[in-house]
Amino acid sequence: QKEVEQDPGPLSVPEGAIVSLNCTYSNSAFQYFMWYRQYSRKGPELLMYTYSSGNKEDGRFTAQVDKSSKYISLFIRDSQPSDSATYLCAMSGTGGSYIPTFGRGTSLIVHP
Amino acid sequence: DTAVSQTPKYLVTQMGNDKSIKCEQNLGHDTMYWYKQDSKKFLKIMFSYNNKELIINETVPNRFSPKSPDKAHLNLHINSLELGDSAVYFCASSQDWTDKDTQYFGPGTRLTVL
């Protein structure tokens, strides 16, 4: 079992839909949780960062962390074709290390 | 103004050759990283340097040798290339090695070994 599990998709939705992206993890010591967005042929860029459990909102994006279930989510409201990308979850903070462990990414396609 | 840049963007080479990838960041960060992203999109840390000093060296064949001439540059040299080395290699940087959130990634170098 991989430390971080993420469905690769692709997830195809119509423009304007609410998108839910998820990751599960096995190491309960993770403390820091991130979502990166990666456009095709580009490097990942940080989208959201959360410490421990709870919600964080930034514009159309909401990140949720449920440490008791070892489950994190990213919600995208009013999805746009420009949101089409691969979304990678990442987590860190075990054993004093802040190097993130990444999920394999979920490919999202928002069609007009 | 590119924050983290890598050269070359594409690299096609034969098995057994030696090649280098260069990375530069103009963010004034202390820590730089090399990641490998395989065909299944898994992104794995290979090395990390903090102020020109190696701080992380994951289980990577010793054919891979990073070099940091100064804290703005981290190059990756690969000897005796193998088919399994084909991947996209990303350089990244962060403020320092205790930076808990943001890593800035370069555009990647797509290496194909024939």
Side-chain angles (χ1 to χ4, degrees), chain A residues 36-101:
Chain A
Y36 282 81
R37 178 175 60 196
Q38 185 175 18
Y39 289 114
S40 182
R41 308 257 164 177
K42 301 281 186 193
E45 54 176 334
L46 184 71
L47 204 55
M48 299 283 282
Y49 159 76
T50 315
Y51 169 64
S52 196
S53 280
N55 291 3
K56 187 171 183 178
E57 194 172 315
D58 184 1
R60 296 184 296 112
F61 299 90
T62 300
Q64 277 186 359
V65 175
D66 181 350
K67 287 191 75 179
S68 61
S69 304
K70 299 199 200 76
Y71 188 88
I72 70 170
S73 301
L74 177 72
F75 296 96
I76 308 174
R77 287 184 299 281
D78 188 26
S79 55
Q80 303 294 310
S82 58
D83 294 328
S84 299
T86 296
Y87 290 80
L88 299 109
C89 64
M91 39 203 82
S92 67
T94 61
S97 168
Y98 302 110
I99 302 296
T101 299

Side-chain angles (χ1 to χ4, degrees), chain A residues 2 4 32 34 36 38 41-46 49 86 88 92 96-105, chain B residues 9-10 33 35 37 40-45 48 56 90 97-103 105-108 110:
Chain A
K2 293 228 176 277
V4 179
Y32 304 96
M34 293 142 280
Y36 282 81
Q38 185 175 18
R41 308 257 164 177
K42 301 281 186 193
E45 54 176 334
L46 184 71
Y49 159 76
T86 296
L88 299 109
S92 67
S97 168
Y98 302 110
I99 302 296
T101 299
F102 285 86
R104 66 180 293 180
Chain B
K9 202 165 178 183
Y10 298 95
Y33 311 82
Y35 285 87
Q37 188 172 44
K40 292 199 164 99
K41 299 289 191 183
F42 282 108
L43 200 58
K44 293 249 173 76
I45 184 75
S48 177
I56 287 173
F90 287 101
W97 71 279
T98 64
D99 198 348
K100 300 174 183 64
D101 48 11
T102 308
Q103 294 197 358
F105 283 80
R110 189 170 293 269

Side-chain angles (χ1 to χ4, degrees), chain B residues 1-5 23-29 32 71-73 93:
Chain B
D1 223 10
T2 308
V4 182
S5 58
C23 177
E24 176 181 0
Q25 54 96 2
N26 62 8
L27 298 165
H29 288 168
M32 296 184 73
K71 73 174 194 177
H73 295 85
S93 73

